[in-house]
């Protein structure tokens, strides 16, 4: 009887260790660089920092509500609650709270810093993300360069899935920015 109890205890402990190692959250970082044609840095910064434009840029966002905002044009802060679906599993919806801070660094350099708490199903299954979106000019005066550094949490078991999700959103945003600025420029030239 004692042997069976020891075996059962060892199996339970090993199961807990395996589950913990697979479902524990680990931090990952993605650095994404892109160029937006037919644009100036201030235009890209203004467009991206306004969350009202986010549904145009990121099609996974379904709905949002601005909770608060403060500051001025050079240093603007706001809080938002939004819902979005996963690009790889569109039937799965998550909800998130985010704090945004948009700053003018110089005449041609701008930054958008954001922190997100994204939850799946309940407020107990949440992960955290931090993003810095730096906008600056290129040598060509009608192009804008941006770099986004994303630090995000993800359960180890789903690391590949999370990485693909982060890249998918970045690619969609890049393509939509290009489309918006190319279309806008052609209409107004």
């Amino acid at each position: 009887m004692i042997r069976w109890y020891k075996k059962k205890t060892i199996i339970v402990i090993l199961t807990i260790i395996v589950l913990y190692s697979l479902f524990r959250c680990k931090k990952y970082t993605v650095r994404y660089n892109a160029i937006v044609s037919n644009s100036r840095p201030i235009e890209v910064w203004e467009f991206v920092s306004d969350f009202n434009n986010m549904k145009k840029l990121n099609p996974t966002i379904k709905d949002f509500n601005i909770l608060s905002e403060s500051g001025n044009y050079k240093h603007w802060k706001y809080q938002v609650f939004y819902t979005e679906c996963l690009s790889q599993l569109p039937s799965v919806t998550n909800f998130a709270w985010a704090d945004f801070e948009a700053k003018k660094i110089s005449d041609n350099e701008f930054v958008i810093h954001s922190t997100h708490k994204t939850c799946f199903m309940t407020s107990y299954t949440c992960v955290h993300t931090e993003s810095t979106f730096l906008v600056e000019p290129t040598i060509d005066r009608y192009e804008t360069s941006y770099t986004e550094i994303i630090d995000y949490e993800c359960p180890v078991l789903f690391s590949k899935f999370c990485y693909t999700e982060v890249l998918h959103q970045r690619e969609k945003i890049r393509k939509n920015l290009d489309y918006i600025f190319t279309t806008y420029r052609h209409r107004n030239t």
Side-chain angles (χ1 to χ4, degrees):
M1 194 66 139
I2 293 176
R3 280 186 168 179
W4 170 242
Y5 181 74
K6 283 183 178 181
K7 278 184 175 179
K8 193 174 181 181
T9 303
I10 290 172
I11 290 171
V12 168
I13 290 171
L14 287 175
T15 302
I16 290 171
I17 291 170
V18 168
L19 288 175
Y20 172 77
S21 63
L22 290 176
F23 287 99
R24 72 181 168 85
C25 280
K26 185 177 173 190
K27 284 198 171 201
Y28 300 91
T29 300
V30 169
R31 183 182 183 95
Y32 189 86
N33 300 301
I35 302 285
V36 180
S37 301
N38 302 309
S39 68
R40 294 179 312 151
I42 194 166
E43 297 167 329
V44 172
W45 176 69
E46 287 174 343
F47 195 87
V48 174
S49 63
D50 184 350
F51 204 85
N52 291 303
N53 295 322
M54 224 9 97
K55 283 173 82 170
K56 297 173 192 167
L57 295 175
N58 183 353
T60 64
I61 293 178
K62 297 298 174 197
D63 199 13
F64 69 93
N65 188 17
I66 304 293
L67 303 174
S68 67
E69 54 185 322
S70 64
N72 57 38
Y73 179 74
K74 291 182 182 180
H75 189 178
W76 178 36
K77 295 179 183 183
Y78 63 93
Q79 228 177 16
V80 65
F81 174 81
Y82 62 94
T83 57
E84 66 181 340
C85 65
L86 299 174
S87 65
Q88 300 165 80
L89 296 169
S91 61
V92 175
T93 301
N94 60 54
F95 55 96
W97 292 268
D99 291 308
F100 286 85
E101 186 175 5
K103 281 187 191 178
K104 181 178 181 179
I105 298 171
S106 70
D107 286 342
N108 283 318
E109 291 182 318
F110 308 88
V111 69
I112 304 164
H113 182 77
S114 61
T115 57
H116 305 253
K117 178 182 177 184
T118 306
C119 303
F120 297 86
M121 294 179 263
T122 73
S123 58
Y124 297 109
T125 53
C126 302
V127 292
H128 298 273
T129 303
E130 194 169 324
S131 168
T132 301
F133 190 95
L134 179 64
V135 182
E136 54 194 355
T138 65
I139 295 171
D140 182 337
R141 70 180 231 205
Y142 290 110
E143 282 186 346
T144 298
S145 168
Y146 71 84
T147 301
E148 187 174 10
I149 301 167
I150 307 105
D151 295 317
Y152 64 97
E153 290 179 333
C154 181
V156 173
L157 180 65
F158 301 113
S159 63
K160 179 72 173 157
F161 181 88
C162 293
Y163 177 75
T164 303
E165 195 69 28
V166 168
L167 283 185
H168 175 269
Q169 288 183 9
R170 303 293 75 70
E171 282 296 311
K172 282 292 188 185
I173 290 169
R174 182 193 58 77
K175 286 178 184 174
N176 289 332
L177 275 172
D178 264 347
Y179 175 78
I180 288 164
F181 280 95
T182 300
T183 303
Y184 174 78
R185 287 281 182 241
H186 286 293
R187 269 195 235 144
N188 293 315
T189 55

